[in-house]
Amino acid sequence: MSSKLSLKQTTTSTPLDMLAHNDEDLSFDEFDEINSPRPNNTDFDTILQQAITRRGFIGGVVGFGLSQFLLSNSSTSQAAGTQQSIFDFEPIKTNSLDTVTIPKGFSWQVVVQWGDPLWSDGAPLDEKTGGTAHSQSRAFGDNNDGMSFIEHNGHNLLVANNEYINKRTLLPLPKKHRPQTTDDVLKSKAGHGISVVEIINNGGKWDIVKDSPLNRRITADTPIEITGPAAGDPLLQTKADPAGVEALGTFNNCGNGLTPWGTYLTCEENFNGYFSSSDKNRKTTKEEKRYGLRQKDYGYNWAIADERFDMAKHPNEPNRFGYVVEFDPRDPTSPIKKRTKLGRFKHENAEVVIAKDNRVVVYMGDDERGEFLYKFVSRDIYVPGKPTEKLLNKGTLYVAKFYDDQRGSWLPLTPETTSMSEAEICIHTRLAASKVGGTTMDRPEWVAAHPEKTQIYCALTNNKNRGKKPNQGGDETPVGGPNPRAQNLYGQILKLEPIGENHTDTQFEWSLFALAGNPTIHHGDMAGSENITPDNMFNSPDGLAFDTRGRLWIQTDGKTTNKDDFAGMGNNQMLVGDTNTGQIARFLVGPKECEVTGLCWSRDRKTMFVGIQHPGNKGGSHFPLGSNHSPRSSIIAVTRDDGEPIG
Ligand code: FEO
Ligand code: CA
Ligand code: CA
Ligand code: CA
């Protein structure tokens, strides 16, 4: 047995370490970890026994070679020499600068940033106050994440999720940056949701079109229809909506998706962080615990001005969040619909493909340690020009089960397999998936489908609890299969290939496209897979998207300390992967303390839009306006200086 594969001490923070931080510095999953600690082993003998078992297991895997799980790694270097490179740029080095860095021969510009007014009755952002509820409701929201470019009747639309708010900059004045007044709460809610903004290219410079009739804001207060099997279920009924068919708002909209019929899908992720209980003796139910709902919210204080966020008074309100939401951005008055059939969990994105038989398949990750990967297969087929309203309401939801022999199955979540009603499966999807024995994953983030091959890629961002703690439902998180490293610090990118090149098939094969790591300070599994080198290393892959040339763009949301386990990795970044050879090259480095997330292209493919989210979320950036300015989440446009398409 190789000693390099024994249990490794890492620098991962413990919940106690994190409590010492200002809580506004905590990420959502850190907050969940503090408020919902997983059962932890304290018995030394048990820990030792597990360690031995785990070492034995890893040893077994490595005995066959961990690389057996890796995509065509044996051919990686040879293939690189014989195939023409798909990297039409000179890869860049990592850095920790407070700006965007891209290769020579490319340029970038800011298109839109948090607080930019979309209508002339809005006001420019007042950085001292973070604006008002009114100014925010008329402006681009905060923390842009997943996004799409849509061309409609000659107009160019950017549709972007505004995942959450940066408390330091949106609420700079209130104590601990927590809302103290109704206006604070309304401003916070208006910073969330979705922004639809028309943009225009004026001689190479992208500008927003103020007052465009297509501009739209959807916030945490916008009425949204609840559709699918859970609509009207008693679990969704509230005092304000006794029929259980209309929710107010969508928030924590993370990744996205686009349907072939032109609608936009926006995915509700960490919805639990907005709910609190005024009754400190209220007992949290098993279902609430599974979704991270507790007595305390994540510092949002929405309940002080909007009672529906008080679970003691409105226990069903949280059941109305955690869904995929669909609307048509081409019509600013189009209805907005929650699609309960796609399940309720911490949705990352929704990757839509049309199967051979024209049924609609949606791949979706649940981004929490030890949660699952899902897919939905529609009952009906997509016929261009025919009604699409019901396509995402009827079908089968599956959870992925992985086997160590690189095969896997999609397990259906039905009343027969779960002993739950159809509506309960839609509302308490995590519990249903546990019942059938889905594989607990290392935080599934974005899923991307290859444009020409029947292949699916999923970013498994990291999981410090792997092999150490069960998930919130008590499901074990053993080391193995697509989650091969204990206390996984760096993350990996998984590849799935449906059997028979058929997205509706319930069987698949899997491999790992990349196991992130740091080959400059580690050997063995912590160094990462063969295609991870000192020149391209990164941690915590998150956003994934293919371009039309079949190149896989990889965005990161990881540690940016640039030291210890993360030495030499610099700021968060965007890389390009060649899924034929396994090669990976770095294209972009973001500013300080940002996450790079959200990616789309103009119709002529000459502009690539990239999301820069929460620069300076710990107070260390002035991106993009420079010193004396608050940092602002932004969408940037990247172009080639020779004017050629960029993907
Ligand atoms: Fe909003 Fe899992 O990222
Ligand atoms: Ca993400
Ligand atoms: Ca992430
Ligand atoms: Ca994020």
Side-chain angles (χ1 to χ4, degrees):
M1 177 143 345
S2 160
S3 60
K4 69 188 177 193
L5 289 164
S6 61
L7 279 181
K8 181 168 167 47
Q9 292 299 314
T10 71
T11 54
T12 309
S13 312
T14 65
L16 278 178
D17 294 332
M18 292 190 296
L19 278 173
H21 286 69
N22 288 330
D23 57 0
E24 64 260 33
D25 290 345
L26 299 177
S27 69
F28 282 101
D29 60 90
E30 286 165 344
F31 175 79
D32 277 343
E33 190 68 9
I34 292 168
N35 283 273
S36 320
R38 314 305 194 265
N40 204 350
N41 261 313
T42 48
D43 180 88
F44 181 74
D45 289 341
T46 316
I47 292 171
L48 186 66
Q49 196 53 46
Q50 284 184 341
I52 291 167
T53 311
R54 191 180 313 139
R55 274 205 297 250
F57 183 67
I58 292 181
V61 171
V62 173
F64 294 111
L66 189 60
S67 60
Q68 74 162 354
F69 293 104
L70 295 166
L71 168 75
S72 59
N73 257 10
S74 56
S75 61
T76 301
S77 19
Q78 296 96 311
T82 52
Q83 290 197 1
Q84 202 185 348
S85 172
I86 65 165
F87 304 115
D88 53 359
F89 58 90
E90 196 177 311
I92 60 167
K93 290 189 169 30
T94 182
N95 68 57
S96 297
L97 302 172
D98 194 25
T99 187
V100 169
T101 310
I102 52 176
K104 277 188 298 211
F106 293 79
S107 298
W108 66 273
Q109 58 180 270
V110 173
V111 180
V112 61
Q113 54 186 344
W114 163 56
D116 284 346
L118 305 186
W119 293 274
S120 354
D121 63 351
L125 178 68
D126 177 348
E127 295 185 2
K128 288 201 175 60
T129 61
T132 62
H134 179 263
S135 69
Q136 183 60 74
S137 70
R138 306 300 281 162
F140 191 73
D142 201 357
N143 270 332
N144 45 274
D145 201 315
M147 61 173 162
S148 294
F149 178 96
I150 295 174
E151 197 264 349
H152 175 55
N153 290 343
H155 298 271
N156 302 308
L157 294 179
L158 264 186
V159 189
N161 292 341
N162 298 113
E163 189 183 31
Y164 64 106
I165 56 150
N166 289 291
K167 296 169 194 161
R168 283 173 193 277
T169 47
L170 189 126
L171 295 162
L173 302 180
K175 194 175 162 204
K176 288 180 125 182
H177 309 305
R178 289 184 183 188
Q180 305 296 320
T181 66
T182 298
D183 199 74
D184 290 343
V185 170
L186 290 171
K187 175 168 65 167
S188 174
K189 286 174 162 179
H192 286 73
I194 297 102
S195 298
V196 181
V197 52
E198 182 177 353
I199 56 172
I200 189 164
N201 193 320
N202 290 317
K205 165 124 181 36
W206 284 101
D207 291 315
I208 63 177
V209 181
K210 240 190 211 180
D211 301 316
S212 163
L214 293 166
N215 290 351
R216 184 178 193 179
R217 281 302 323 277
I218 296 167
T219 73
D221 281 320
T222 307
I224 300 185
E225 189 185 331
I226 299 173
T227 71
D233 189 82
L235 284 168
L236 298 189
Q237 296 169 0
T238 61
K239 273 185 206 144
D241 175 31
V245 293
E246 188 182 75
L248 285 185
T250 180
F251 46 86
N252 217 281
N253 303 79
C254 184
N256 67 315
L258 260 190
T259 65
W261 50 96
T263 58
Y264 181 84
L265 302 178
T266 177
C267 304
E268 298 175 344
E269 193 185 19
N270 293 291
F271 65 90
N272 59 314
Y274 299 78
F275 293 92
S276 57
S277 168
S278 56
D279 174 2
K280 297 305 165 206
N281 296 318
R282 181 175 184 272
K283 250 183 106 62
T284 310
T285 66
K286 153 179 101 172
E287 290 81 9
E288 288 167 346
K289 275 193 186 133
R290 183 66 187 271
Y291 285 90
L293 292 154
R294 291 293 187 277
Q295 305 282 356
K296 282 172 60 179
D297 70 10
Y298 175 57
Y300 278 98
N301 269 10
W302 285 4
I304 65 165
D306 188 345
E307 195 186 275
R308 67 191 168 102
F309 292 94
D310 182 348
M311 290 192 296
K313 294 182 177 142
H314 303 284
N316 282 347
E317 188 69 16
N319 293 338
R320 295 146 65 89
F321 299 89
Y323 297 104
V324 173
V325 181
E326 180 180 18
F327 74 100
D328 187 345
R330 298 165 298 188
D331 172 4
T333 63
S334 61
I336 311 166
K337 305 192 178 193
K338 300 209 177 194
R339 299 298 186 189
T340 62
K341 184 66 206 181
L342 271 52
R344 176 169 168 264
F345 43 90
K346 293 189 177 180
H347 277 283
E348 186 70 21
N349 79 326
E351 182 72 337
V352 181
V353 294
I354 300 299
K356 278 179 177 169
D357 65 0
N358 293 324
R359 281 189 285 168
V360 183
V361 179
V362 188
Y363 290 93
M364 301 169 286
D366 181 354
D367 177 12
E368 184 136 33
R369 298 186 190 98
E371 290 296 340
F372 306 113
L373 181 65
Y374 296 87
K375 84 165 173 182
F376 163 81
V377 179
S378 67
R379 184 193 70 181
D380 300 329
I381 61 168
Y382 166 58
V383 183
K386 290 276 188 280
T388 51
E389 161 56 29
K390 296 278 188 316
L391 281 177
L392 300 182
N393 286 350
K394 293 185 190 312
T396 307
L397 187 63
Y398 298 86
V399 65
K401 170 103 179 166
F402 293 81
Y403 306 103
D404 285 343
D405 65 358
Q406 293 188 262
R407 290 181 165 268
S409 302
W410 290 104
L411 309 177
L413 304 178
T414 65
E416 294 70 39
T417 62
T418 62
S419 309
M420 294 164 73
S421 72
E422 175 98 37
E424 281 175 315
I425 294 168
C426 297
I427 298 167
H428 295 137
T429 310
R430 287 180 166 181
L431 284 85
S434 286
K435 281 195 175 188
V436 304
T439 297
T440 58
M441 306 296 285
D442 285 349
R443 297 186 55 197
E445 300 252 26
W446 288 60
V447 182
H450 194 288
E452 277 137 24
K453 300 176 182 172
T454 316
Q455 297 178 347
I456 292 297
Y457 290 76
C458 177
L460 300 170
T461 199
N462 58 53
N463 182 2
K464 66 182 184 182
N465 291 345
R466 172 63 54 189
K468 190 179 162 199
K469 291 180 181 177
N471 70 10
Q472 293 276 8
D475 303 323
E476 293 301 327
T477 63
V479 173
N483 309 286
R485 291 181 296 193
Q487 294 166 263
N488 176 14
L489 210 53
Y490 296 118
Q492 62 266 19
I493 299 174
L494 170 68
K495 174 189 175 191
L496 296 191
E497 287 181 285
I499 296 294
E501 300 186 346
N502 183 357
H503 282 292
T504 62
D505 204 288
T506 57
Q507 306 298 313
F508 59 85
E509 291 179 345
W510 64 267
S511 58
L512 294 177
F513 170 68
L515 200 58
N518 192 330
T520 65
I521 59 163
H522 292 298
H523 297 287
D525 64 346
M526 295 277 281
S529 48
E530 210 177 303
N531 50 350
I532 301 299
T533 70
D535 293 326
N536 70 9
M537 61 186 181
F538 60 92
N539 75 90
S540 305
D542 188 331
L544 290 183
F546 276 99
D547 64 20
T548 51
R549 292 158 59 184
R551 300 187 299 182
L552 179 63
W553 294 77
I554 303 162
Q555 302 176 315
T556 73
D557 170 24
K559 291 274 197 294
T560 57
T561 55
N562 205 31
K563 60 182 189 189
D564 303 327
D565 289 318
F566 307 99
M569 292 185 177
N571 292 343
N572 277 309
Q573 48 183 293
M574 183 164 78
L575 309 102
V576 186
D578 181 338
T579 57
N580 291 321
T581 65
Q583 285 180 301
I584 297 171
R586 185 182 297 114
F587 180 84
L588 178 150
V589 178
K592 284 180 188 290
E593 297 168 15
C594 84
E595 165 186 345
V596 182
T597 185
L599 184 62
C600 58
W601 286 264
S602 60
R603 187 173 187 161
D604 62 10
R605 312 299 291 190
K606 290 183 176 176
T607 302
M608 176 169 64
F609 298 95
V610 184
I612 303 295
Q613 195 192 44
H614 66 68
N617 70 335
K618 298 188 193 307
S621 166
H622 298 282
F623 182 84
L625 297 175
S627 53
N628 303 322
H629 286 285
S630 300
R632 299 194 202 175
S633 294
S634 312
I635 296 174
I636 63 167
V638 178
T639 50
R640 284 179 63 110
D641 295 345
D642 63 9
E644 290 297 307
I646 193 172

